[in-house]
């Protein structure tokens, strides 16, 4: 036992110094590491990213999706979900509210909704960019030319998780989608100069620590600018409804190791983390994360953006969320950033 403890300390020290680990070493940490991993990830976060937490205003602008991902409550086969799509005015109203509340980044996220063709998205980007904000899109897989047009219209960043790098697992969870295409999309985004965010779900059925280690190596090889790790939370209206529910610890470990290997990137404390663990975002902020994405969606739509059950804040107003998260951040001795929060800020 003592020997193993010593080996783990050595691995964490190696990661801290070299920001590199072999796959087997990552697997070892995923399987056996403890509080020391989180402590060191927090230390590295402090050295590279400082004490400031970046807030990104999340606008969930459509819950309509043509895809059928096995884990997601928005999957097109979930006929019980009441669908919505915000109109331009509503999206701009949310944007104004976020800007007035001091946010410097707007994140437009939605299902893969074909109504929002490239022209409409470009129009939206141009409108949103009239405010002095950074704009992140999270609208799934599009063609190279569409990504190019969005960039030209002013989009700065793009978030698209690879979800899992295990091809077989990916295929089993994403009917009619292609792993190769998702990869290509991420390479295209990088090539086009987006700050590119990716990430994975942790705790999926049949996912191994070996494949999670591959995910972390993928983030490093891609040189991702942001990485978001979500604990997978089973949704009752999906094929994975009976899967394991508590994936907090494994997702926190994936996140902390990602911080050690990519010390200068932006890492959010994800909403899903807090949805399964009280103060989950604060725990994440103290284990390597430096970003929070409070929900700016109108209360009347929040319940319908139900990726998973028991999502936090579904009955809260945007104002309540901003005050709530700010006070939590300040209570742990961190500050709220006033910059746009690019990777190299
Ligand atoms: N449609 C876009 C996409 O898939 O990239 C963006 C929106 S999608 C709802 C955002 C993220 O939600 C996905 O990348 C996925 O990791 C996460 N998600 C979906 N279902 C989830 C679940 N049951 N538990 C945790 N996270 C989930
Ligand atoms: Fe659609 Fe994204 Fe959900 Fe998949 S994860 S069903 S693409 S919203
Ligand atoms: Fe929404 Fe706390 S962040 S109520």
């Amino acid at each position: 036992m003592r020997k193993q403890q010593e080996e783990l300390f050595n691995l964490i020290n190696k990661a801290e110094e070299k920001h590199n680990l072999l796959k087997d070493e990552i697997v070892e940490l995923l399987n056996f590491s403890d509080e020391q991993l989180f402590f060191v990830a927090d230390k590295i976060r402090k050295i590279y990213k400082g004490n400031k937490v970046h807030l990104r205003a999340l606008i969930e602008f459509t819950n309509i999706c043509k895809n059928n991902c096995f884990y997601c409550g928005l999957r097109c086969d979930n006929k019980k979900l009441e669908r919505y799509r915000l109109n331009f005015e509503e999206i701009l109203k949310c944007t104004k509210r976020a800007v007035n509340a001091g946010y410097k980044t707007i994140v437009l996220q939605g299902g893969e909704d074909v109504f929002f063709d490239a022209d409409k998205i470009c129009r939206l980007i141009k409108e949103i960019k009239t405010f002095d904000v950074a704009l992140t899109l999270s609208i799934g897989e599009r063609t190279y030319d569409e990504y190019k047009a969005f960039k030209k219209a002013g989009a700065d960043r793009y978030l698209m998780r690879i979800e899992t790098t295990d091809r077989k697992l990916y295929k089993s969870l994403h009917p009619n989608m292609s792993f190769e295409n998702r990869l290509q999309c991420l390479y295209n985004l990088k090539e086009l100069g987006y700050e590119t965010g990716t990430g994975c779900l942790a705790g999926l059925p049949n996912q191994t620590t070996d494949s999670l280690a591959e995910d972390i190596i993928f983030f490093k090889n891609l040189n991702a600018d942001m990485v978001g790790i979500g604990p997978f939370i089973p949704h009752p209206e999906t094929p994975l409804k009976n899967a394991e529910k508590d994936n907090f610890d494994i997702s926190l470990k994936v996140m902390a190791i990602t911080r050690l290997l990519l010390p200068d990137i932006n890492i959010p404390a994800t909403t899903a983390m807090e949805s399964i663990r009280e103060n989950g975002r604060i725990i994440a902020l103290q284990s390597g994360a430096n970003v929070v994405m409070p929900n700016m969606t109108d209360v009347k739509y929040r319940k319908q953006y139900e990726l998973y059950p028991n999502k936090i804040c579904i009955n809260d107003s945007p104002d309540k969320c901003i005050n709530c998260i700010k006070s939590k951040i300040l209570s742990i001795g961190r500050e709220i950033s006033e910059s746009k929060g690019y990777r190299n800020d």
Side-chain angles (χ1 to χ4, degrees):
M1 192 61 199
R2 251 192 90 76
K3 183 160 181 295
Q4 192 184 45
Q5 198 62 36
E6 226 177 272
E7 277 168 16
L8 289 174
F9 263 67
N10 289 341
L11 284 184
I12 294 170
N13 282 344
K14 178 181 168 189
E16 183 182 356
E17 278 164 27
K18 302 203 186 314
H19 306 303
N20 226 330
L21 286 175
L22 300 171
K23 182 172 140 190
D24 287 350
E25 296 173 329
I26 300 177
V27 173
E28 186 85 1
L29 287 184
L30 287 173
N31 285 336
F32 301 111
S33 64
D34 57 11
E35 288 298 318
Q36 180 67 8
L37 170 67
F38 305 130
F39 178 79
V40 176
D42 190 47
K43 182 170 148 197
I44 295 296
R45 181 275 308 157
K46 191 166 182 196
I47 294 170
Y48 281 82
K49 305 307 286 178
N51 245 348
K52 297 206 159 126
V53 175
H54 300 294
L55 297 180
R56 324 287 203 199
L58 179 67
I59 304 176
E60 300 162 331
F61 73 109
T62 171
N63 73 350
I64 298 170
C65 188
K66 68 177 163 63
N67 292 333
N68 215 7
C69 307
F70 267 40
Y71 42 80
C72 179
L74 308 192
R75 68 198 305 265
C76 60
D77 273 1
N78 180 7
K79 305 292 182 219
K80 288 208 178 146
L81 182 68
E82 201 183 318
R83 305 283 170 167
Y84 74 89
R85 156 188 300 142
L86 302 193
N87 62 35
F88 264 57
E89 288 64 39
E90 288 173 304
I91 297 172
L92 292 177
K93 205 177 114 206
C94 288
T95 305
K96 270 186 207 145
R97 191 165 53 206
V99 170
N100 290 338
Y103 286 96
K104 300 287 188 293
T105 293
I106 303 293
V107 183
L108 266 192
Q109 192 187 77
E112 291 202 15
D113 180 353
V114 290
F115 171 83
F116 287 100
D117 59 19
D119 283 348
K120 292 198 181 80
I121 296 288
C122 284
R123 256 180 58 210
L124 260 178
I125 295 170
K126 285 181 189 149
E127 288 283 351
I128 292 174
K129 287 295 288 186
T130 60
F131 300 93
D132 181 23
V133 286
L135 174 61
T136 308
L137 297 177
S138 180
I139 56 173
E141 296 175 28
R142 298 276 179 143
T143 64
Y144 183 90
D145 288 342
E146 286 177 305
Y147 287 151
K148 193 169 170 188
F150 301 160
K151 190 86 189 46
K152 189 158 170 252
D156 304 280
R157 308 182 185 135
Y158 208 98
L159 287 182
M160 189 166 60
R161 291 182 180 164
I162 191 69
E163 315 292 1
T164 174
T165 55
D166 177 337
R167 284 173 164 73
K168 212 170 129 217
L169 182 60
Y170 187 93
K171 200 166 179 327
S172 74
L173 298 174
H174 300 94
N176 305 320
M177 289 172 80
S178 132
F179 179 77
E180 271 63 38
N181 191 55
R182 201 157 184 92
L183 258 190
Q184 191 58 53
C185 284
L186 286 166
Y187 295 142
N188 291 347
L189 290 163
K190 263 282 183 191
E191 186 201 313
L192 286 162
Y194 283 90
E195 275 210 338
T196 306
T198 188
C200 65
L201 284 167
L204 288 163
N206 299 318
Q207 188 180 39
T208 58
T209 43
D210 198 87
S211 96
L212 285 167
E214 293 278 8
D215 294 351
I216 297 172
I217 291 169
F218 167 72
F219 307 150
K220 183 134 178 99
N221 290 342
L222 179 71
N223 188 18
D225 301 297
M226 308 170 272
V227 172
I229 310 297
F232 159 62
I233 307 172
H235 186 293
E237 295 303 324
T238 66
L240 303 184
K241 59 183 174 204
N242 295 322
E244 171 65 49
K245 284 191 171 56
D246 188 357
N247 296 308
F248 184 80
D249 293 346
I250 188 67
S251 52
L252 201 67
K253 282 186 189 180
V254 175
M255 190 200 80
I257 299 170
T258 302
R259 168 60 72 207
L260 296 183
L261 299 199
L262 288 141
D264 67 334
I265 66 168
N266 284 317
I267 298 186
T270 57
T271 305
M273 286 182 170
E274 184 129 352
S275 300
I276 53 168
R277 185 66 53 91
E278 203 180 338
N279 272 329
R281 287 175 303 180
I282 292 302
I283 298 171
L285 284 174
Q286 294 176 313
S287 310
N290 71 316
V291 172
V292 179
M293 296 165 65
N295 196 336
M296 278 290 113
T297 314
D298 258 356
V299 185
K300 65 176 173 180
Y301 297 117
R302 286 187 182 202
K303 273 193 204 64
Q304 287 156 260
Y305 202 80
E306 194 195 41
L307 315 178
Y308 46 78
N310 303 321
K311 196 166 163 235
I312 52 161
C313 307
I314 53 168
N315 294 314
D316 299 311
S317 68
D319 283 348
K320 176 158 181 219
C321 285
I322 183 141
N323 292 330
C324 161
I325 196 64
K326 275 188 175 166
S327 69
K328 285 187 179 190
I329 291 168
L330 297 176
S331 78
I332 55 165
R334 303 277 277 276
E335 298 155 54
I336 310 291
S337 160
E338 289 184 353
S339 82
K340 290 187 179 132
Y342 287 94
R343 180 178 183 175
N344 296 323
D345 271 2

